[in-house]
Amino acid sequence: MANTLWYNIAIFLLISSFLADNAVVVLDAFHHVPNKIKNQPYRTGYHFQPPKNWMNDWTGPMVYKGIYHLFYQWNPNGAVMEVNDTVWGHATSTDLINWITHSPAIKPSRPSDINGCWSGSVTILPDGKPVILYTGNDRYNRQVQNLAKPKNLTDPYLRHWTKSPENPLVTPNAVNHINSTAFRDPTTAWIGRDGQWRITTGSQEGRRGLAILHTSRDFVRWKKSPKPLHYHDGTGMWECPDFFPVARSDSHGVDTTTFREKMIKHVLKVSLSDTYFDYYTIGTYDQVRDVYVPDNGFVQDKTAPRYDYGKFYASKTFYDSVNQRRILWGWVNESSPEKDNANKGWAGLQAIPRKVWLGESGKRLVQWPVKEIERLRTTQVKWGNKVLKGGGTVMEVHGVTASQADVEVFFKVSGLDLEKADVIEPGWTDPQMICSLKNASSGLGPFGLMVMASKNLEEYTSVYFRIFKVREDSKEHVVVMCSDQSRSSLEKGNDKTTYGAFVDISPYQTLSLRTLIDNSIVENFGGKGKACITSRVYPKLAVGERTHLFAFNKGSQNVDVLSLSAWSMKSSL
Ligand code: DQQ
């Protein structure tokens, strides 16, 4: 009896203290947030996904008073995209890894957004307060730009947002030459030389894609600039533009309103709705003419470099003032048919947040998973110096939870063997095409990892390098990284495209590959983040504990593994 009493008191104290610590969140969760779908094989352990239903773009990223906010395009009613129902889903975190889901921050409710609250951005004003600019699909299905402010700045989670009575702030019409169904996704605002705010918004005129520019003194009345920030013919709609500075000399992030011209370059990223990929150029923001000029060699079309050569769209960066870094996140869609998504009750993931900076060459951005992710690492398996003999070696990496892991491997190929590499064909300029054609064993590669693999390799996703010589008599090489999903699942209906990317490194140095594996997503970082490929896979056999991890070499020459570390990963909140 006494025992039961003490037990009840203990439980009561435990619950009370939990509620005291988490009262706001718990109440919020009880009132508005649906229960999380659990115990499904393709739900992730440490990649963000909403409790249920459809998610696409992440939108309005920010850090405010030490709390990271993730807003995302969410369909509260089902696992398929319904643009007219889209709300701003909302989650917060103190470490970018463990997220608490709140009720939606913005929902359709006014004539200016009644047919959907679409993507946009947050700007932190000079007084430190955040504001949201978002696209509303209005009652006439026109795309207009709206403003929202936090209702209560003392709420650490900023769960409630008030829409401006002045909405819509910016409307498209024939007079200002803006197409009303192609005017969306305002960027984070920045202050120009004249002290006025500027935003750029994605648009299309005929086949010309453009980033329209608006200026404002008070953030409420916006005036269209005579010239767009940038445009390019033949590219179609520019969705989710992102325009930000990067430091020239180190990997620190730079705030959007930084214009020390000698110290920075600018990046313009656009999501091309024609291809569903994100392309960026590096260039200069000419503040006098108020235009962006890409550096020589860059064109803002589908020849531009991509953040990620797999599945990754509608991405956006923000400046993390807490850690002085710029962080990039992207939406990773499903590769499964719509009916499977409806059956699962959810669709869409967000990639692990990546720190992004300008690489030493000044011609490419480099991306690396935020360091916080390493806190989820548990048991480590380590290999030192192993030879992967040419001609078909496959070695299992034992002792790691292969369905939820972080793997980093450093390969080395001898100089002599590099001379034996195949010569690249003159027309092979598309890495995806090379990866699709050149899967057979020959020369240097393929060598790499087989992830999400079943024990007897009925299923696996192989992530590998192939190295080519530029010419027979040359010591210059081309390194290609591939992610081949063709054997990823016995299930037939999924998109199993093989992805490929060139990696801008000399193979005389170490070739590194980091792979984040999380049940149905595989994120790859080649050459310490110089090339990235993300894919979605849905194995039938290689599920949970029945998942295996292998290193392999199917090329004819030997490859050394200088070291391999594989960590089992805990699940996040
Ligand atoms: N998704 C949003 C649009 C954006 C598109 C609608 C990009 O604002 O252009 O959900 O995926």
Side-chain angles (χ1 to χ4, degrees):
M1 181 67 176
N3 277 351
T4 318
L5 183 66
W6 279 116
Y7 176 79
N8 285 341
I9 291 174
I11 293 286
F12 173 77
L13 289 175
L14 200 74
I15 292 177
S16 316
S17 94
F18 177 76
L19 284 179
D21 286 344
N22 299 280
V24 182
V25 177
V26 170
L27 284 178
D28 190 37
F30 284 165
H31 284 146
H32 311 284
V33 181
N35 287 334
K36 223 182 198 178
I37 296 176
K38 286 189 187 145
N39 305 326
Q40 279 190 14
Y42 308 134
R43 290 286 287 181
T44 56
Y46 60 94
H47 281 75
F48 178 81
Q49 55 189 149
K52 60 192 277 199
N53 295 340
W54 167 273
M55 169 177 65
N56 53 300
D57 325 353
W58 91 303
T59 180
M62 68 159 167
V63 58
Y64 180 67
K65 295 199 173 159
I67 295 190
Y68 294 100
H69 291 253
L70 161 58
F71 300 99
Y72 50 92
Q73 293 281 282
W74 189 51
N75 174 6
N77 306 319
V80 291
M81 189 171 194
E82 286 294 349
V83 284
N84 289 33
D85 293 342
T86 303
V87 304
W88 275 44
H90 186 198
T92 55
S93 166
T94 52
D95 60 7
L96 289 167
I97 299 301
N98 295 292
W99 293 94
I100 298 165
T101 307
H102 304 288
S103 51
I106 310 177
K107 297 189 219 170
S109 67
R110 299 274 174 83
S112 63
D113 65 12
I114 197 68
N115 286 315
C117 297
W118 294 357
S119 292
S121 303
V122 166
T123 302
I124 309 281
L125 300 178
D127 61 5
K129 294 179 189 153
V131 290
I132 286 175
L133 281 174
Y134 69 99
T135 298
N137 195 26
D138 79 358
R139 61 182 153 157
Y140 308 114
N141 281 312
R142 292 180 317 167
Q143 295 164 17
V144 301
Q145 313 316 323
N146 296 320
L147 177 73
K149 292 182 175 175
K151 198 172 199 171
N152 174 9
L153 281 165
T154 61
D155 167 12
Y157 304 107
L158 301 179
R159 286 162 306 153
H160 304 289
W161 290 75
T162 309
K163 296 175 186 176
S164 167
E166 317 259 3
N167 286 342
L169 306 187
V170 196
T171 49
N173 57 49
V175 180
N176 61 19
H177 295 286
I178 302 178
N179 176 349
S180 65
T181 54
F183 179 45
R184 54 185 183 268
D185 313 333
T187 56
T188 294
W190 69 94
I191 299 175
R193 228 182 222 179
D194 54 7
Q196 294 201 47
W197 287 105
R198 279 154 174 77
I199 49 166
T200 187
T201 308
S203 190
Q204 170 176 17
E205 272 175 23
R207 290 288 302 146
R208 171 178 291 186
L210 65 161
I212 294 175
L213 196 64
H214 280 85
T215 58
S216 171
R217 288 198 185 281
D218 58 4
F219 227 89
V220 174
R221 278 160 301 205
W222 292 88
K223 189 167 162 243
K224 186 172 175 258
S225 296
K227 276 179 290 189
L229 180 71
H230 192 53
Y231 65 89
H232 196 78
D233 288 341
T235 50
M237 178 66 195
W238 287 9
E239 294 188 311
C240 301
D242 194 17
F243 184 55
F244 58 91
V246 282
R248 277 174 191 251
S249 57
D250 62 32
S251 70
H252 277 94
V254 186
D255 189 15
T256 315
T257 298
T258 300
F259 296 110
R260 286 163 293 148
E261 273 140 25
K262 293 214 169 75
M263 326 250 315
I264 57 162
K265 298 292 300 180
H266 265 82
V267 175
L268 177 63
K269 183 280 299 186
V270 298
S271 304
L272 289 189
S273 69
D274 269 12
T275 62
Y276 245 50
F277 294 128
D278 282 8
Y279 303 86
Y280 70 85
T281 59
I282 295 165
T284 306
Y285 174 42
D286 177 340
Q287 279 202 79
V288 178
R289 291 194 298 139
D290 226 359
V291 292
Y292 165 74
V293 186
D295 285 352
N296 280 341
F298 286 103
V299 180
Q300 200 83 39
D301 63 6
K302 58 185 185 189
T303 63
R306 280 163 52 184
Y307 283 144
D308 192 297
Y309 287 79
K311 218 154 235 190
F312 191 90
Y313 191 63
S315 62
K316 184 155 287 192
T317 62
F318 76 100
Y319 175 60
D320 173 5
S321 53
V322 177
N323 292 289
Q324 287 84 48
R325 57 188 171 174
R326 184 159 284 275
I327 292 180
L328 163 74
W329 265 25
W331 161 46
V332 185
N333 199 357
E334 301 301 309
S335 292
S336 47
E338 212 169 82
K339 69 168 181 9
D340 290 11
N341 302 342
N343 287 339
K344 288 189 311 213
W346 61 275
L349 304 177
Q350 299 293 347
I352 288 297
R354 303 169 180 180
K355 176 175 163 172
V356 59
W357 68 98
L358 185 63
E360 274 170 19
S361 69
K363 296 192 183 322
R364 289 289 182 276
L365 297 174
V366 183
Q367 301 158 62
W368 199 244
V370 292
K371 59 181 185 321
E372 288 87 336
I373 189 80
E374 293 167 24
R375 293 187 204 152
L376 296 175
R377 290 172 170 175
T378 58
T379 329
Q380 180 183 13
V381 173
K382 215 170 166 143
W383 288 0
N385 268 323
K386 268 192 204 290
V387 181
L388 294 177
K389 285 228 162 79
T393 300
V394 178
M395 282 171 136
E396 179 153 11
V397 182
H398 290 282
V400 66
T401 56
S403 57
Q404 217 170 286
D406 181 354
V407 187
E408 191 166 21
V409 50
F410 294 88
F411 297 104
K412 181 92 183 101
V413 181
S414 82
L416 265 184
D417 285 338
L418 283 172
E419 283 170 23
K420 296 180 195 148
D422 294 346
V423 176
I424 194 159
E425 302 276 333
W428 286 5
T429 50
D430 174 1
Q432 177 157 324
M433 186 275 290
I434 300 173
C435 291
S436 312
L437 285 180
K438 269 279 179 176
N439 197 13
S441 131
S442 72
L444 276 179
F447 60 88
L449 299 172
M450 285 170 173
V451 304
M452 294 301 295
S454 58
K455 192 167 191 308
N456 299 315
L457 295 176
E458 298 91 341
E459 293 180 327
Y460 59 86
T461 293
S462 50
V463 187
Y464 57 84
F465 293 111
R466 287 189 52 94
I467 303 173
F468 299 94
K469 272 199 292 195
V470 170
R471 280 184 317 277
E472 192 54 63
D473 56 352
S474 160
K475 279 202 184 299
E476 241 185 277
H477 291 80
V478 175
V479 179
V480 189
M481 178 169 87
C482 308
S483 176
D484 179 356
Q485 283 68 241
S486 58
R487 304 286 297 272
S488 59
S489 173
L490 296 176
E491 184 69 51
K492 294 230 161 48
N494 304 318
D495 167 12
K496 295 180 185 165
T497 307
T498 294
Y499 304 123
F502 290 124
V503 195
D504 181 22
I505 43 175
S506 156
Y508 288 97
Q509 300 161 4
T510 311
L511 269 177
S512 73
L513 171 65
R514 178 153 177 214
T515 300
L516 300 175
I517 305 160
D518 191 2
N519 296 287
S520 65
I521 179 167
V522 180
E523 281 188 74
N524 302 295
F525 301 82
K528 280 275 168 196
K530 286 186 167 168
C532 305
I533 302 181
T534 298
S535 61
R536 300 295 311 278
V537 295
Y538 312 90
K540 286 287 181 200
L541 305 173
V543 169
E545 287 172 4
R546 288 180 291 136
T547 309
H548 298 257
L549 171 69
F550 300 89
F552 77 96
N553 178 12
K554 291 191 180 163
S556 54
Q557 309 303 321
N558 292 354
V559 173
D560 292 331
V561 172
L562 295 183
S563 78
L564 178 150
S565 290
W567 291 267
S568 299
M569 294 291 271
K570 279 187 288 191
S571 292
S572 53
L573 266 189

